[in-house]
Structure formats: structure tokens, C-alpha cells
Amino acid sequence: MRQSVVVLDSFIPVADLSAALEVGGLDVEVVAATEIPSGAGIVALLVGPETVGLDDRHLAALPDLRLLAATSAGYDHLPVDAAVGRGIRVTRAVDYCTDEVADHALALSVGLLRSTARLDAAVHAGEWDVVASPPRRIAGTVLGLFGFGLIGHAFALRAHALGMTVLASGRSLAGRVPEWVEVVEWDELLQRSDVLSLHVPLTDDTAGIVDAAALRRMRRGSYLINVSRGGLVDHDALGAALRHGRLAGAAIDVLPTEPPDQEDPILAIPNLVITPHAAWYSPDVASRLARQSADNLLAVLEGRTPKGVVG
């Protein structure tokens, strides 16, 4: 029986993955699928974040599975413990879209501070008034980063180049940040940030961490950026904070439900910029993901440690 790799992610180019595996000397069939597969011969399952419901029952129906890979930095959609318990390697994508996400977070932050979306909407509505939504100066603005991995670090470098003051909070940051980044506790990050940007995975510890209490501790007139996972934020509380003027604005690239229904209340929240989970994307990203996935499968089959191991 010929071995196969099943791809549950429409953004992964099957041709690029097949070519990368062939270069590595591995003769396997690469199959694009829209439903979770079952059966013998499947050695790797590549799963995008849009796939939900994958659990141990599906793993039990894949007796030859050696690699379960999230084709994203986040892996909360994978049954990590169940896979590890079956001896299956679990990985997440690493450093495939660091620059893209950092650029997107910076663009959202600068857009909020300079009021570009609100000023554009006002002009299209027949207004011509800079004072109605006054742009703010970027230099000297305090950027608070919750999480300081590759993306947080890349964003910090960009913000520092613009003259922003950078704070960081999260686990195990000591010794990992430049001298111009001030490491603070979560509560201080909330209180001092003009722009709070989230760069942590969705876990039991981080789910809903930006709740009503956290939003009340944020500086009045500050901004929130989320390019990580929608579940980090209580969006009902965020809506209340924006409607009552506690926050001046927010920009999010991730939602609890994607795409949202047109009747979803989140679309009616004022001063909220929403992009369609686009922070990770550029035309080059898909081929990078394909190459990394191929390298990881080769590593697993050869008894080596792949990149991005979780669990």
C-alpha cells in the first residue's frame, strides 16, 4: 500500500508539497480533502484551523498516522494529548508568517492611532474634518505586547523604529528581550499601554483573558489589537468598552466564529476594525508551509525531531 499525506487546508498547494517531498526522496501520495479521513496508509495529516471536531476517534481510525500537523502557529484545533498518547508526533507551523503578522499588527496599530479608517469613512460620507477623529502621534506611544515570541519580537522591532515605547509581558521573558523593551506584569501592561497587542496562543490559561475586568484596567482612550486567536477576548465586554468610550478603538483579525454571520452583533460594534483572518497571508506563505510540512514529515519518518513540536 502506498503511503499518503492528507491535507485539510485549502491554502496548502498540493503540487508544492508533493514536489518538496519528492526532493526529499519520499514517494508518497498527497491528497487534498475537505473531510477528516480514515483508513490505513495515511502517515501524515495536515490540518488548518478551519477544521473543527478532530478528536481521538478519528486518530483511532488512522492506524499508520505518524505526524499530526497544524498548518498554523495556533494548534488549539488539534487533540494534542490524544495524539501524543498514541505515539503520534504533533507539530505547529513555525516562523512561516512572522513578518506578515508583525506587519499586519503594525498596520492595524498605526491605522487606529492615525484614525485612517474613521477619517476615510467621514470623507466618503461628505465630511472634511480632521478634528472629529484626530490622528495621534506615533512616536512616544506606549505599545504593550502580551507574548514575546517570534511575532512579538518582530512587532517590537518595527514599533521601536517608529519611536514607540515597548512593554512586554508573558511567560519566561527574562533574557529574551532587547534592552529597550521593558518587561512588566500583566496588570501593569494593561494600565500603561496606549496600544495593547496580543501575541499568545489560546490555552486554558489565556482563554478570555481580555475580559471586562481587564478592559476596565486598560488606560482610558487606549486601543486593543488581536492577531492571535479570537478566544483570547470577551467580545461582549469589548463591545461595551468601545460603546462606553473606555477604549478609543480596537482592531481584530480573529473572531470566535469565522466567518461571522451578517447578523452577528460583533459587526455592529463601533470603532472596531475587523480583517478576515488575513494577518498571516502573503503569496509566499503557502509555499513556505508546504516546504516546512515536507521537512517535518521527512524528519519524523527518519527518526529525527521535527520543527514546532507541541505536546
Side-chain angles (χ1 to χ4, degrees):
M1 178 184 295
R2 190 182 184 192
Q3 294 178 324
S4 63
V5 174
V6 176
V7 181
L8 287 168
D9 187 336
S10 60
F11 282 100
I12 302 295
V14 169
D16 287 0
L17 181 57
S18 296
L21 289 168
E22 185 176 345
V23 168
L26 188 60
D27 181 23
V28 297
E29 181 183 13
V30 180
V31 179
T34 57
E35 297 183 355
I36 299 170
S38 62
I42 299 173
V43 294
L45 187 61
L46 278 53
V47 187
E50 70 276 7
T51 298
V52 296
L54 182 65
D55 59 28
D56 188 54
R57 293 171 302 154
H58 300 106
L59 300 181
L62 296 165
D64 299 317
L65 191 66
R66 300 283 302 280
L67 174 67
L68 177 62
T71 56
S72 58
Y75 53 91
D76 50 281
H77 58 296
L78 300 185
V80 176
D81 292 341
V84 171
R86 291 181 175 276
I88 300 167
R89 284 282 194 161
V90 183
T91 62
R92 66 181 183 89
V94 178
D95 199 19
Y96 69 102
C97 62
T98 298
D99 287 334
E100 284 83 356
V101 178
D103 288 344
H104 202 84
L106 177 66
L108 293 176
S109 301
V110 171
L112 288 175
L113 289 166
R114 296 299 300 169
S115 298
T116 52
R118 296 176 69 178
L119 291 170
D120 171 75
V123 171
H124 280 87
E127 303 173 16
W128 194 264
D129 183 2
V130 68
V131 179
S133 299
R136 296 174 58 172
R137 186 176 185 178
I138 304 299
T141 298
V142 178
L143 171 67
L145 299 172
F146 183 49
F148 203 82
L150 293 172
I151 293 170
H153 188 200
F155 187 11
L157 290 171
R158 288 156 170 76
H160 182 62
L162 294 180
M164 299 178 78
T165 297
V166 183
L167 311 178
S169 181
R171 296 184 300 175
S172 305
L173 295 188
R176 295 179 51 208
V177 300
E179 61 181 11
W180 41 266
V181 174
E182 183 180 355
V183 177
V184 299
E185 295 297 327
W186 169 241
D187 194 63
E188 185 175 353
L189 191 78
L190 293 172
Q191 295 180 35
R192 290 179 55 190
S193 299
D194 294 310
V195 178
L196 173 65
S197 190
L198 309 179
H199 299 278
V200 294
L202 180 63
T203 66
D204 290 341
D205 292 333
T206 62
I209 193 166
V210 182
D211 56 11
L215 291 164
R216 284 194 298 270
R217 292 198 297 275
M218 289 180 66
R219 178 177 294 183
R220 182 170 291 278
S222 59
Y223 301 89
L224 176 69
I225 306 291
N226 187 12
V227 293
S228 294
R229 283 291 183 265
L232 300 174
V233 178
D234 179 337
H235 289 91
D236 291 335
L238 176 62
L242 289 167
R243 290 188 182 93
H244 298 151
R246 180 71 194 179
L247 298 188
I252 56 177
D253 185 58
V254 284
L255 301 175
T257 301
E258 298 178 358
D261 185 87
Q262 287 303 300
E263 302 301 317
D264 192 324
I266 203 168
L267 299 179
I269 297 176
N271 305 331
L272 177 63
V273 174
I274 304 175
T275 54
H277 208 140
W280 64 277
Y281 185 76
S282 76
D284 298 327
V285 165
S287 59
R288 283 187 222 131
L289 277 172
R291 289 194 299 271
Q292 187 173 126
S293 299
D295 290 344
N296 275 352
L297 179 55
L298 287 166
V300 168
L301 294 180
E302 293 172 0
R304 295 182 286 112
T305 300
K307 290 183 178 179
V309 173
V310 297

